[in-house]
Amino acid sequence: MKIRNTFLLIVFITSLLTINNPVHAESYTRDISYEQQILLNINGFYLLYTTPQAPYIDDDNRTMVPLRSFTKLLGAKATYDALNKTAVIQSGEQSLKLKLNSKTVYINGERKEMDTNPVMKANSVFIPLKSIIDTFRIRSEQQSMNGGGALIVLKDDRFLTQGPLQQIREMRITEQSATDKYYGIFPRFLKMEEAQYEVNMRIESRNTLGQKVEFSNIDLGMWLVLKNEIQKINPDITDNQTLEKGGFFTHNFTISNQSIGDIEYIFSFPKIKE
């Protein structure tokens, strides 16, 4: 009986500790980390992240983008029929119809064949970027990245006339200086980790300016698009060091009172302050 009573006492104390000290999210982290295979630059803005996952290269070596997140940037309307597994994107008189796991698409009603197919990933539909470029006649150029991967440059005024990029562009214009250089910094690695009440983010970039750069003069121009607001975020600590030509460097950010699920996009418009 004494052993039984001792056991019940231990159980009781343990339950009290559990009630008074519940397990919080700080013991849980969600890690999003990748060496950029593909990087998109939209009218000068590097697109580092889109919910629920950044653009990626599939097994057919084709760039895939999230249906809703990406078409929202373009100002297009996207719908998905879960029963028929069919997605339709409409912008003005231009339309694109795709079906999951099918290479057949309809561009403005005309049947065409792609060399890869839309897929469901992270509970979202991902579609080939080329199908959007061809349908909506977006100017594009692909460039090789030093160290592997590719940079795809997209240019279209529709990206800047509505949605988050329009707002970010207007906010950025108010702070720019005529002496700032808007080239020479190339983001290439993103890691996000979620803890209790905050997201920790690390971004590695490369100095491609062709000359030495003072770390303190680098502004990554980081813009966070949340569900209800857009905010510019600043790094936690700015080191005082000189970066050699081609050198890599890291910025760390702490985003308080947010979770990864609240982040819709992460954009960067780097500059070097003179």
Side-chain angles (χ1 to χ4, degrees):
M1 179 65 70
K2 183 177 181 181
I3 295 175
R4 183 173 181 273
N5 289 338
T6 302
F7 174 76
L8 291 175
L9 179 62
I10 293 173
V11 171
F12 176 70
I13 293 174
T14 302
S15 65
L16 287 178
L17 290 173
T18 303
I19 294 173
N20 294 325
N21 297 282
V23 177
H24 290 295
E26 61 184 348
S27 62
Y28 158 79
T29 60
R30 181 151 54 126
D31 195 341
I32 296 179
S33 169
Y34 55 91
E35 189 84 15
Q36 293 275 34
Q37 282 185 306
I38 189 69
L39 191 65
L40 298 184
N41 184 291
I42 303 177
N43 287 67
F45 293 87
Y46 288 105
L47 179 59
L48 301 184
Y49 177 76
T50 55
T51 184
Q53 179 181 318
Y56 69 95
I57 297 177
D58 69 3
D59 294 337
D60 295 315
N61 200 33
R62 295 294 177 260
T63 302
M64 306 293 287
V65 295
L67 170 67
R68 295 193 183 278
S69 296
F70 193 83
T71 53
K72 180 180 177 180
L73 294 177
L74 188 62
K77 180 182 179 180
T79 58
Y80 178 66
D81 182 345
L83 181 62
N84 296 310
K85 299 182 179 181
T86 301
V88 176
I89 305 171
Q90 186 81 35
S91 179
E93 297 180 353
Q94 299 169 322
S95 66
L96 171 63
K97 183 177 180 180
L98 316 92
K99 188 171 184 177
L100 279 186
N101 304 314
S102 172
K103 294 183 179 181
T104 301
V105 297
Y106 292 88
I107 296 179
N108 300 322
E110 181 180 354
R111 177 172 173 161
K112 293 182 178 295
E113 296 295 323
M114 300 183 296
D115 49 10
T116 192
N117 50 266
V119 297
M120 184 69 73
K121 191 177 179 69
N123 294 319
S124 293
V125 178
F126 278 74
I127 64 176
L129 175 61
K130 189 177 186 304
S131 64
I132 297 180
I133 291 174
D134 291 344
T135 302
F136 302 105
R137 302 184 181 96
I138 300 171
R139 287 177 293 165
S140 66
E141 177 186 354
Q142 182 165 322
Q143 304 171 1
S144 297
M145 292 168 56
N146 292 330
L151 170 68
I152 297 179
V153 179
L154 304 178
K155 293 182 180 181
D156 194 294
D157 290 341
R158 285 172 289 187
F159 287 117
L160 301 178
T161 55
Q162 76 282 302
L165 274 183
Q166 179 193 27
Q167 298 178 57
I168 293 174
R169 179 172 176 263
E170 292 173 352
M171 296 165 72
R172 189 185 65 79
I173 287 175
T174 62
E175 66 174 31
Q176 70 182 21
S177 169
T179 59
D180 292 337
K181 295 180 180 179
Y182 290 99
Y183 59 91
I185 301 300
F186 192 80
R188 59 184 295 275
F189 179 89
L190 168 67
K191 179 176 181 179
M192 289 195 293
E193 185 179 78
E194 180 178 329
Q196 184 183 22
Y197 307 129
E198 68 180 24
V199 175
N200 300 309
M201 186 167 65
R202 179 168 68 90
I203 295 182
E204 182 181 280
S205 307
R206 187 176 186 183
N207 170 21
T208 60
L209 185 61
Q211 65 187 53
K212 295 181 179 180
V213 176
E214 295 299 322
F215 188 89
S216 58
N217 289 335
I218 296 172
D219 180 359
L220 284 187
M222 296 295 302
W223 297 92
L224 203 66
V225 180
L226 305 170
K227 292 180 178 179
N228 299 315
E229 66 174 323
I230 297 175
Q231 58 179 249
K232 184 176 181 182
I233 56 175
N234 298 311
D236 299 334
I237 300 174
T238 300
D239 293 333
N240 186 17
Q241 59 176 301
T242 300
L243 300 173
E244 299 293 333
K245 173 183 174 181
F248 296 98
F249 56 96
T250 300
H251 284 89
N252 295 296
F253 299 82
T254 299
I255 308 163
S256 300
N257 302 317
Q258 299 296 339
S259 69
I260 292 176
D262 294 327
I263 300 173
E264 292 191 325
Y265 308 93
I266 298 175
F267 289 100
S268 173
F269 201 109
K271 67 179 180 180
I272 300 174
K273 298 174 286 186
E274 289 294 311

